[in-house]
């Protein structure tokens, strides 16, 4: 082996070890985050029953929509354009990006407050508390993505660990109060503690006054990612609200219970999502011909893991299921097969989505997400009208399969275009 070959082999080995390290921190971070979310869900499900859990789930999916607004405008452009850049460039971008996330939380939080007061009843207080907690929740998430953009996954993990530690006493207090609103406050207050610690970790002050400049600079990506992300989480929210109207609020709790059963796998899926776009961007810069294979391995691996986890859930005895979810188990257990298939198809599609993000093919990814979201709402609500809660779950599984197919078709076209664009012009005389 020549000296050049030895250097190339050593460089390749070093790159693989670096990728494994970043991936490991992504999985560890998401595990810490998901444990916090899982603990809140289990506490509400066991303490307050299926109807109150349905109310909590409505607040949860609303938070999901707002979170995706923040990510589309603030952190998604940050990850695409400021992964692996100089420290000075990263710090300036993080100040503007985190300020944007904080501003989004304040603005939409105020709306949630007004809506919660207007709704009243059992749902209103949960939305009032969500509105108060949104700025801290979104800022904490912004720190996570900022750290991963810089390859500092360890800091993101420690931040989520702080959230989990702060959550323990907060949940104890919420359990004594015994209301959905108390659990929302406990969840959000502990996240705000972690958001404050993120400032200590980074030494960067969020610049809300520069949010407008950030939005202007990133509007070519941010606007499309906003629509893409909101269509994704908005579809989930429409499905949840529609399911509550068609079948009942208890059905929303049953679906959320089935998703909690898949919580450990979803933690892996979301942990990968923290690093996949940044890693795909690195693959594109260093070896663009390997991007397609990278995305296929990523998506196929996630789909296979989801099927294995779902198979294990089918073997779970009822006694154990009741211990975890209480009364919610009996309804949630009927949804394991369709929910597992839906998650497997979603995992397959995320491989292609990472590739499109790395290619900055925002128009293509937007088309894919709009199509997938429309299918999700149609399948979820159409299935609910035809077959209740179980029918809704099967409708979503079929819709997710169709959406995944479109993601891969668009990635294939985008890769072909990128290859043609990078072929050097050949001059003939």
């Amino acid at each position: 082996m020549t000296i050049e070959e030895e250097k190339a082999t050593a460089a390749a080995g070093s790159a693989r070890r670096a990728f494994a390290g970043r991936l490991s921190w992504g999985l560890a971070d998401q595990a810490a985050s998901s444990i916090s979310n899982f603990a809140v869900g289990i506490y509400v499900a066991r303490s307050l029953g299926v109807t109150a859990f349905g109310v909590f789930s409505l607040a949860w999916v609303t938070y999901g929509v707002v979170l995706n607004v923040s990510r589309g405008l603030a952190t998604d452009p940050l990850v695409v354009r400021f992964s692996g850049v100089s420290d000075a460039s990263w710090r300036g971008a993080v100040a503007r990006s985190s300020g944007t996330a904080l501003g989004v939380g304040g603005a939409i939080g105020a709306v949630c407050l007004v809506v919660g007061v207007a709704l009243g009843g059992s749902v209103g207080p949960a939305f009032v508390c969500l509105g108060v907690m949104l700025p801290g929740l979104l800022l904490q998430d912004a720190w996570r993505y900022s750290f991963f953009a810089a390859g500092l996954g360890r800091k993101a993990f420690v931040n989520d660990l702080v959230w989990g530690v702060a959550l323990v006493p907060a949940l104890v207090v919420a359990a004594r109060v015994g209301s959905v609103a108390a659990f929302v406050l406990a969840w959000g207050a502990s996240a705000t503690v972690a958001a404050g610690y993120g400032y200590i970790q980074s030494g960067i002050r969020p610049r809300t006054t520069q949010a407008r400049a950030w939005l202007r600079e990133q509007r070519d990506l941010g606007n499309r990612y906003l629509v893409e992300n909101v269509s994704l989480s908005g579809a989930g929210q429409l499905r949840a609200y529609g399911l509550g109207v068609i079948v009942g609020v208890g059905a929303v709790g049953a679906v959320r219970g089935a998703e909690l059963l898949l919580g450990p796998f979803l933690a892996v899926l979301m942990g990968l999502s923290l690093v996949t776009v940044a890693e795909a961007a690195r693959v594109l810069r260093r070896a663009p011909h390997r991007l397609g294979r990278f995305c296929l391995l990523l998506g196929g691996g996630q789909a296979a893991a989801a099927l294995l986890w779902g198979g294990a859930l089918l073997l779970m005895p009822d006694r154990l299921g009741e211990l975890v979810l209480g009364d919610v188990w009996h309804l949630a257990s009927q949804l394991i097969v369709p929910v597992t298939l839906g998650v497997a198809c979603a995992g397959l599609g995320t491989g292609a989505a990472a590739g499109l993000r790395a290619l900055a093919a925002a128009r293509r990814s937007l088309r894919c997400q709009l199509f997938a979201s429309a299918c999700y709402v149609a399948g979820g609500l159409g299935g609910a009208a035809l077959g209740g809660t179980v029918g809704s779950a099967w409708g979503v599984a079929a819709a997710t399969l169709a959406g995944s197919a479109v993601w891969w078709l668009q990635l294939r076209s985008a890769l072909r275009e990128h290859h043609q664009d990078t072929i050097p012009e050949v001059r003939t005389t």
Side-chain angles (χ1 to χ4, degrees):
M1 181 180 292
T2 65
I3 295 177
E4 288 75 12
E5 290 174 336
E6 290 179 353
K7 290 182 178 179
T9 302
S14 177
R16 284 193 293 269
R17 287 190 296 272
F19 169 68
R22 291 189 294 267
L23 181 60
S24 298
W25 282 119
L27 295 176
D29 169 74
Q30 189 56 48
S33 176
S34 295
I35 287 172
S36 300
N37 295 336
F38 185 76
V40 174
I42 294 300
Y43 252 74
V44 177
R46 288 185 56 80
S47 302
L48 304 181
V50 67
T51 301
F53 190 53
V55 174
F56 180 82
S57 298
L58 291 177
W60 186 277
V61 297
T62 303
Y63 158 71
V65 174
V66 181
L67 181 64
N68 278 304
V69 171
S70 176
R71 288 176 177 175
L73 294 175
T75 53
D76 283 348
L78 176 77
V79 172
V80 170
R81 286 183 167 153
F82 294 91
S83 291
V85 299
S86 67
D87 182 68
S89 179
W90 174 78
R91 293 180 69 86
V94 169
R96 300 192 301 277
S97 174
S98 60
T100 302
L102 195 57
V104 169
I108 303 183
V111 175
C112 285
L113 278 170
V114 174
V115 171
V117 171
L119 286 175
S122 60
V123 177
F127 277 82
V128 170
C129 294
L130 177 65
V132 173
M133 294 292 105
L134 273 177
L137 285 162
L138 298 189
L139 181 58
Q140 192 276 336
D141 186 75
W143 290 131
R144 296 172 67 209
Y145 277 79
S146 298
F147 291 141
F148 276 108
L152 302 173
R154 179 179 57 83
K155 288 190 174 183
F157 169 73
V158 172
N159 191 275
D160 269 322
L161 201 60
V162 169
W163 184 2
V165 171
L167 183 62
V168 174
L171 284 180
V172 172
V173 175
R176 291 180 178 177
V177 176
S179 68
V180 175
F183 281 106
V184 174
L185 282 176
W187 166 56
S190 54
T192 302
V193 171
Y197 183 64
Y199 167 72
I200 296 174
Q201 288 178 293
S202 65
I204 301 172
R205 190 176 71 180
R207 303 282 185 176
T208 55
T209 56
Q210 296 184 16
R212 183 175 297 179
W214 174 262
L215 294 175
R216 185 170 56 251
E217 293 167 8
Q218 310 300 328
R219 63 179 178 271
D220 58 328
L221 294 181
N223 291 340
R224 290 191 175 95
Y225 289 159
L226 169 64
V227 176
E228 183 179 329
N229 290 355
V230 170
S231 67
L232 171 63
S233 54
Q237 190 174 23
L238 287 175
R239 187 247 184 143
Y241 289 165
L243 190 60
V245 171
I246 296 171
V247 184
V249 176
V252 181
V255 170
R256 176 62 184 154
E259 292 172 350
L260 279 175
L261 292 173
L262 282 156
F265 170 75
L266 291 175
V268 174
L269 182 66
M270 296 179 69
L272 287 170
S273 71
L274 290 170
V275 297
T276 49
V277 175
E279 292 303 324
R282 289 185 176 95
V283 171
L284 180 63
R285 284 195 295 267
R286 297 171 181 172
H289 61 284
R290 295 180 179 175
L291 181 60
R293 181 191 296 180
F294 173 83
C295 294
L296 183 60
L297 290 174
L298 175 65
Q302 291 178 100
L307 294 175
L308 289 174
W309 184 262
L313 288 177
L314 292 175
L315 301 176
M316 179 185 293
D318 289 339
R319 183 178 302 176
L320 181 58
E322 292 170 358
L323 180 64
V324 174
L325 291 179
D327 295 338
V328 179
W329 162 255
H330 297 289
L331 293 174
S333 61
Q334 302 174 30
L335 309 179
I336 291 175
V337 172
V339 170
T340 298
L341 292 175
V343 171
C345 293
L348 183 63
T350 57
L356 287 175
R357 286 285 176 96
L359 290 164
R363 290 184 179 180
R364 289 188 179 275
S365 62
L366 176 59
R367 291 190 208 119
C368 292
Q369 192 57 68
L370 290 176
F371 175 81
S373 299
C375 288
Y376 184 92
V377 174
L381 298 186
L386 295 174
T389 309
V390 176
S392 179
W394 278 108
V396 166
T400 309
L401 176 61
S404 180
V406 171
W407 278 106
W408 279 101
L409 288 173
Q410 288 294 322
L411 177 62
R412 186 177 67 174
S413 298
L415 287 171
R416 187 183 302 117
E417 287 181 359
H418 181 77
H419 177 69
Q420 291 173 349
D421 291 341
T422 54
I423 294 176
E425 181 181 358
V426 178
R427 297 182 180 272
T428 58
T429 57

